[in-house]
Amino acid sequence: MNKFLSSQIEKALGEKCPLPDNFQVLLKMVSDTYDQFESEQKNLELQLSGKEEQVNESKYKSLFEEMADGVYKSTNEGKFVDVNPALVKMLGYDSKEELLSIDIKTKLYFEASERDNAVLQNNINGLAVFRLRKKDGSEIWFEERGSYVSDGNGSTIYHEGILRDVTKRIQTEFELLKSQKETADYKKALNQSLIVSITDKNGDFTFANSNFCNISKFDVEELTGKSQDIIYSEHHTNDFVNAIQNTISTGKVWRGEVKHKSKEGNFYWVDSAIVPFLDDLGKPYQYLTISIDVTERKLADEALLANELKFRSMIEHNEDMISMFDAQGNFTYVSPAILKEFNFTFEECLTLNSMQIIHPEDQPMMASFLSEVMHVQAIPFKCPIFRIRKKDGTNVWVEGTLTNLLKNDGVKAIVANFKDITKRREYEEQLKSRNSELMKSNMELDKFVYSVSHDLRAPLSSMLGVIGISEEETKEPETKEHLGMLKASIKKLDLSISDILDYSRNSRMEVNKEKIDLRELLLEITNNLKYQSKNKVEIKVDLNEAFPFISDKNRVNIILNNLISNAINYQDPKNTDPLVNVKIDMSDTETNIVVKDNGIGINKDLQEKIFEMFFRGSENSDGSGLGLYIVKESVEKLNGKIEVKSAPGKGSEFCILIPHK
Ligand code: ADP
């Protein structure tokens, strides 16, 4: 029986909870109950046997019906033949008939093996403890005294027995065992983790457990008899130390966290309880200190605090306005910069909702922006510029970020980091309006230059016409000479006006790209310039037109015309073999134009200046000093680059690179 009960209890408690030694106590209790039960049974039997003839059928029947214990008779196959009302009730069935109809093996036992065990226990001891399943599925524990009635050949014909409900007792025993086990585990765990020491009334160590030695790095021998000053860290104030002393010397337990120093000089933190042991007079004669190591937590706390202080100071000294608010927009923190800027007190801010300080016109925009921010966590979102309303009703423009640190449970916050950009905005506005004014006056000026230049050219060509007629009519060589000089001056003036018109066109007109037939354009330009110089200058064209050249024809014309014209003009008159070489190479991405001459060249120190407006290399130059300036402006409009290589007396080379996109 003992073995079975033990295995049943063990099963119920689970494998992880082996039975402790005092399980024997439980078994003893069970055996005692059994003895008591057995003697009651015997008495009953005695009564029955002694007065058998006196006990009539109806008396036996009423005993059967009224017994508090369950009584049954069942077949070997597992059907009840008879059950008393107590058993029907205990098993939770509605009627005797219902219970008689069930299959005992499958309905009453949780597992077939449990029935075999019950039979076995009964066979060996005449008493079995086992559980059965009630109609509602719950378990009920029984103590049974049963017997097996067999036929002449030894086969069991039927079982009969008396069942007593011992569920409460078994459950109590289980609970007891469980709590005994828990207490044992708890004690073991405490012993393993607690740091324990005892000091006498003077504060000298009389005992230290191994945990104490491990953490303090002192041996027991080194500690015994020594004052506990040996582990003082000097971290705590005198007031703190005195408070401990005052508490324990009056017999009260002190509880708190203390920092100690180990033999090696390292600090450690313990959460301690100091328990004074009092003598008959109520005076402490020794102190038991029980502690746990909390160093890691304290170090983490310290680091956290240091970090927090660092960030706090960074935030508090920051000129940016930093605030935090919850998911509803209520402020939970505002930095001093905000208080200063808006004249609010910290407390006032905490009663405000962030929307309240936003300019009403900007509120809808900010509300929709905020709802966007709510969906993305931990990434700073650049806010659109908006206005915040100060306490005095004036507004400041701000710019910055919102970072959503809200967790799903809403623990954290939204952090807002803003800068006052009111001044910058005013400045930008001023700049914008000044810029548009400037653009307007520039355009007007360009318009003026264009129309004046245009209008000037018509009278100049009439003047040239009149001079032509006068030249034909006059026979006076002196007048002829004067007319020639007049004509040259007018031509120079016309050239200058034409340059100004080119400049004006370049600055006003959009880039207009088209397919350019370079060969045709170059032919036109060289034909026009051929007779520009008295010297006959040879113009060589080397055109490598592998790709179609799509660009702004007007500007390309201005560039080539000016460069070739200069290359012809700035030839040395003494040069017997003046040459201009125009070389154009193309790739699919860019066009490279080189205009090279063997003319007078340009001094190194002038090479940077030649692209300036109205710069002329010498007083003798016939030009307006605008040509290269217009070339450079035009090249830049086409996103290209121009550079010059030149050596005085040897010649100049102008290289231009025009990208196709
Ligand atoms: P302009 O020819 O009307 O004087 P440009 O702007 O075309 O004005 O040229 C500026 C100056 O650069 C010229 O006065 C001249 O001194 C110098 N220059 C330009 N092209 C050449 C060249 N191919 N060879 C030598 N000097 C040049």
Side-chain angles (χ1 to χ4, degrees):
M1 172 203 87
N2 293 357
K3 230 182 186 174
F4 171 73
L5 191 58
S6 147
S7 79
Q8 288 292 308
I9 294 174
E10 230 171 88
K11 206 174 202 172
L13 286 174
E15 274 171 28
K16 282 182 196 143
C17 181
L19 291 175
D21 297 342
N22 56 6
F23 179 60
Q24 296 306 326
V25 178
L26 170 68
L27 292 181
K28 172 90 173 42
M29 285 161 67
V30 175
S31 302
D32 289 350
T33 317
Y34 161 70
D35 291 344
Q36 188 192 345
F37 178 72
E38 201 170 41
S39 73
E40 275 174 23
Q41 281 300 121
K42 279 207 179 111
N43 278 343
L44 192 67
E45 271 171 31
L46 221 72
Q47 277 177 20
L48 288 172
S49 66
K51 300 170 186 175
E52 207 165 36
E53 59 283 9
Q54 298 165 19
V55 177
N56 58 30
E57 187 64 18
S58 75
K59 235 183 179 172
Y60 170 75
K61 190 76 185 156
S62 94
L63 190 70
F64 174 78
E65 296 286 330
E66 279 157 31
M67 250 180 92
D69 291 335
V71 184
Y72 76 92
K73 190 170 173 184
S74 67
T75 65
N76 196 32
E77 287 70 41
K79 282 270 181 202
F80 285 118
V81 179
D82 200 1
V83 290
N84 72 341
L87 188 61
V88 175
K89 203 175 159 205
M90 280 190 270
L91 288 171
Y93 282 85
D94 298 332
S95 65
K96 179 175 172 176
E97 288 66 36
E98 192 186 4
L99 188 55
L100 290 185
S101 72
I102 65 157
D103 176 45
I104 296 172
K105 287 181 197 172
T106 55
K107 282 273 180 232
L108 284 190
Y109 288 94
F110 286 91
E111 279 173 36
S113 63
E114 293 184 22
R115 181 171 185 261
D116 299 341
N117 261 321
V119 173
L120 197 70
Q121 288 180 70
N122 258 324
N123 280 342
I124 301 170
N125 300 310
L127 182 74
V129 177
F130 55 89
R131 58 176 186 159
L132 289 180
R133 179 169 35 211
K134 287 169 71 168
K135 190 184 170 187
D136 65 7
S138 61
E139 62 175 26
I140 175 167
W141 283 81
F142 284 115
E143 203 170 56
E144 179 190 39
R145 188 167 185 269
S147 59
Y148 305 91
V149 179
S150 16
D151 61 9
N153 304 324
S155 316
T156 306
I157 310 168
Y158 60 84
H159 300 183
E160 56 186 9
I162 300 175
L163 296 164
R164 177 169 289 178
D165 180 357
V166 291
T167 312
K168 275 221 171 73
R169 198 189 76 208
I170 293 283
Q171 277 171 353
T172 315
E173 282 156 5
F174 281 177
E175 290 305 318
L176 189 73
L177 277 171
K178 249 188 188 167
S179 79
Q180 276 176 350
K181 168 85 176 61
E182 274 168 16
T183 313
D185 285 352
Y186 185 58
K187 264 189 185 167
K188 198 174 160 197
L190 283 184
N191 275 336
Q192 277 175 3
S193 63
L194 289 179
I195 300 161
V196 184
S197 66
I198 299 174
T199 47
D200 62 19
K201 60 173 186 281
N202 301 319
D204 296 339
F205 285 108
T206 56
F207 169 80
N209 76 346
S210 61
N211 288 330
F212 191 101
C213 294
N214 285 344
I215 196 163
S216 71
K217 309 285 182 215
F218 284 106
D219 291 342
V220 184
E221 294 75 33
E222 287 174 306
L223 290 166
T224 314
K226 296 271 168 54
S227 158
Q228 54 184 340
D229 289 354
I230 199 168
I231 53 164
Y232 274 168
S233 65
E234 290 171 9
H235 169 84
H236 300 285
T237 60
N238 284 345
D239 286 350
F240 180 84
V241 178
N242 291 339
I244 300 178
Q245 199 52 44
N246 289 342
T247 310
I248 57 175
S249 63
T250 53
K252 285 185 222 116
V253 174
W254 183 87
R255 175 80 206 272
E257 290 178 343
V258 192
K259 188 178 184 179
H260 289 314
K261 191 164 85 177
S262 78
K263 185 181 170 185
E264 293 167 356
N266 295 326
F267 294 105
Y268 62 92
W269 279 90
V270 284
D271 184 353
S272 295
I274 308 177
V275 187
F277 281 60
L278 306 178
D279 60 17
D280 294 344
L281 298 170
K283 285 241 173 320
Y285 64 93
Q286 68 173 19
Y287 302 98
L288 169 72
T289 306
I290 303 165
S291 315
I292 52 168
D293 180 3
V294 291
T295 312
E296 255 174 52
R297 197 201 69 213
K298 287 299 274 193
L299 290 182
D301 283 355
E302 277 174 12
L304 208 69
L305 190 71
N307 246 352
E308 201 186 301
L309 287 175
K310 196 166 79 192
F311 286 127
R312 182 168 277 268
S313 132
M314 267 164 62
I315 288 172
E316 309 236 302
H317 292 102
N318 203 318
E319 282 184 10
D320 284 7
M321 298 179 277
I322 298 165
S323 64
M324 271 193 211
F325 48 86
D326 61 20
Q328 285 69 47
N330 299 319
F331 282 113
T332 52
Y333 173 79
V334 284
S335 72
I338 296 187
L339 304 178
K340 195 174 140 207
E341 171 106 26
F342 296 103
N343 266 336
F344 283 116
T345 66
F346 189 80
E347 288 67 30
E348 270 175 328
C349 272
L350 294 191
T351 63
L352 287 174
N353 187 283
S354 52
M355 275 296 156
Q356 280 173 277
I357 62 162
I358 294 175
H359 190 287
E361 280 173 21
D362 296 339
Q363 280 177 11
M365 172 193 74
M366 284 310 287
S368 80
F369 181 76
L370 206 62
S371 70
E372 234 179 87
V373 172
M374 288 293 186
H375 291 110
V376 185
Q377 291 191 1
I379 299 171
F381 256 74
K382 201 166 158 33
C383 264
I385 294 171
F386 66 100
R387 281 159 290 177
I388 293 184
R389 193 161 259 192
K390 282 197 197 181
K391 201 176 171 184
D392 62 9
T394 57
N395 296 305
V396 289
W397 286 93
V398 294
E399 169 187 85
T401 57
L402 282 181
T403 312
N404 172 12
L405 298 179
L406 282 171
K407 283 185 179 168
N408 292 337
D409 56 8
V411 178
K412 289 198 179 166
I414 296 204
V415 177
N417 186 340
F418 289 104
K419 259 191 181 66
D420 179 352
I421 56 153
T422 315
K423 282 218 168 71
R424 198 187 83 197
R425 240 186 95 89
E426 277 169 12
Y427 181 67
E428 277 172 3
E429 290 294 325
Q430 276 174 11
L431 213 66
K432 244 191 228 164
S433 80
R434 212 178 284 168
N435 206 17
S436 72
E437 275 169 26
L438 267 174
M439 276 187 28
K440 206 173 144 213
S441 66
N442 253 356
M443 263 164 63
E444 280 166 0
L445 194 67
D446 279 346
K447 242 184 183 163
F448 172 76
V449 168
Y450 183 78
S451 58
V452 169
S453 315
H454 200 263
D455 293 350
L456 280 176
R457 286 193 86 182
L460 284 183
S461 40
S462 326
M463 279 164 81
L464 280 175
V466 175
I467 291 170
I469 295 167
S470 306
E471 269 181 328
E472 298 253 314
E473 285 178 353
T474 185
K475 300 270 178 300
E476 287 295 319
E478 214 169 298
T479 313
K480 258 199 168 107
E481 195 193 331
H482 290 159
L483 285 173
M485 281 161 68
L486 204 58
K487 204 161 94 182
S489 289
I490 291 172
K491 272 191 178 159
K492 192 178 160 188
L493 183 60
D494 187 49
L495 215 71
S496 294
I497 293 173
S498 152
D499 279 349
I500 292 171
L501 276 172
D502 279 346
Y503 159 76
S504 170
R505 264 192 220 110
N506 182 54
S507 62
R508 278 185 309 121
M509 279 161 64
E510 293 295 319
V511 172
N512 179 19
K513 289 198 175 181
E514 62 186 296
K515 189 165 176 257
I516 303 172
D517 184 340
L518 272 173
R519 199 167 292 279
E520 193 186 289
L521 182 67
L522 279 166
L523 196 68
E524 207 177 291
I525 295 171
T526 49
N527 276 341
N528 281 339
L529 295 174
K530 231 180 344 204
Y531 305 107
Q532 183 177 287
S533 164
K534 281 174 206 127
N535 287 1
K536 187 144 173 45
V537 179
E538 190 190 345
I539 305 173
K540 249 176 88 180
V541 173
D542 183 359
L543 178 61
N544 171 15
E545 216 175 2
F547 297 90
F549 183 48
I550 316 267
S551 194
D552 186 323
K553 193 172 176 184
N554 262 326
R555 290 188 168 89
V556 173
N557 186 20
I558 290 173
I559 295 165
L560 287 171
N561 205 34
N562 271 292
L563 290 179
I564 297 170
S565 159
N566 279 351
I568 295 170
N569 279 346
Y570 296 106
Q571 279 293 344
D572 184 350
K574 287 173 224 141
N575 192 347
T576 50
D577 200 11
L579 183 71
V580 174
N581 201 341
V582 182
K583 192 169 186 301
I584 301 182
D585 272 314
M586 271 186 218
S587 75
D588 56 341
T589 54
E590 59 193 23
T591 294
N592 197 5
I593 302 172
V594 179
V595 179
K596 194 175 169 185
D597 62 62
N598 57 353
I600 57 171
I602 309 160
N603 270 334
K604 189 96 191 139
D605 54 336
L606 298 183
Q607 283 176 19
E608 263 184 26
K609 296 191 170 153
I610 56 174
F611 296 104
E612 286 172 11
M613 201 181 225
F614 300 120
F615 178 81
R616 284 184 297 172
S618 80
E619 294 295 309
N620 309 331
S621 162
D622 277 351
S624 61
L626 269 175
L628 284 181
Y629 173 74
I630 298 167
V631 168
K632 188 168 176 256
E633 290 283 298
S634 303
V635 169
E636 279 168 5
K637 278 264 178 185
L638 299 176
N639 296 324
K641 278 186 219 152
I642 180 166
E643 57 184 44
V644 61
K645 294 174 204 159
S646 181
K650 291 203 168 149
S652 309
E653 183 178 325
F654 287 85
C655 302
I656 290 165
L657 202 73
I658 301 173
H660 290 173
K661 273 191 184 151

